Amino acid sequence: MLKKIDHIGIAVKNLERGIELYRDILGVEPEATIDFPPEKVKIAFFPLGESSVELLQPTHEESAIHKFLEKRGEGIHHICYRVDDLNKAIEILVARGLKPLDSKPRNGAHNTRVVFFHPKDTAGHLIELSEKA
Ligand code: ZN
């Protein structure tokens, strides 16, 4: 069901500084930074082989990333796994006891449909599943 790690989402207070870390120190070229109003974040993607690192900076206090930073500080926010059939994957995981955060998939960045599963059921890490449109 899970095809690969699609990306690892990292919450940062300052996207420019995050970009400096990945581009200038770790030597990974970012894709263009995008503004993603549905989640009230700015995102920089760093493709790395089959996967990417996604740096997320909140653009509003109501952003889930803002709340995460307040509570836990900067760091890994979620791990995203690619699936081929999101509806099927949700059905299977719900039957196995996981709880999605939303009743329906959301639109993700980069033409994807995504769903998140609550960290209290998943060993403390937020899991995102993503299907390419
Ligand atoms: Zn993500």
Side-chain angles (χ1 to χ4, degrees):
M1 178 169 49
L2 306 185
K3 297 301 175 188
K4 64 171 192 172
I5 294 176
D6 187 87
H7 63 267
I8 296 173
I10 300 173
V12 297
K13 290 180 184 161
N14 181 317
L15 195 60
E16 279 315 309
R17 258 193 235 130
I19 290 171
E20 282 167 20
L21 169 66
Y22 270 84
R23 184 191 57 207
D24 303 337
I25 298 175
L26 297 172
V28 188
E29 273 309 308
E31 290 179 351
T33 298
I34 59 169
D35 203 30
F36 193 62
E39 301 291 344
K40 301 181 176 70
V41 289
K42 282 195 294 190
I43 303 173
F45 269 103
F46 294 80
L48 256 178
E50 287 254 294
S51 307
S52 303
V53 170
E54 175 189 48
L55 301 182
L56 302 145
Q57 183 209 302
T59 54
H60 194 279
E61 284 183 1
E62 278 167 29
S63 164
I65 299 298
H66 177 80
K67 288 168 193 154
F68 178 90
L69 287 169
E70 295 263 281
K71 232 165 102 179
R72 311 201 19 198
E74 291 186 306
I76 294 177
H77 176 260
H78 64 272
I79 296 186
C80 177
Y81 298 107
R82 171 72 56 78
V83 297
D84 287 336
D85 184 338
L86 187 62
N87 291 338
K88 185 89 188 277
I90 292 169
E91 195 184 306
I92 291 168
L93 294 181
V94 167
R96 292 176 184 171
L98 297 193
K99 288 187 185 57
L101 293 191
D102 306 298
S103 55
K104 279 192 185 141
R106 315 177 188 184
N107 292 321
H110 287 150
N111 252 341
T112 55
R113 293 168 67 232
V114 304
V115 70
F116 289 90
F117 287 92
H118 204 285
K120 84 173 157 46
D121 303 322
T122 57
H125 64 296
L126 183 62
I127 289 179
E128 177 181 16
L129 299 184
S130 157
E131 173 194 84
K132 275 264 179 227

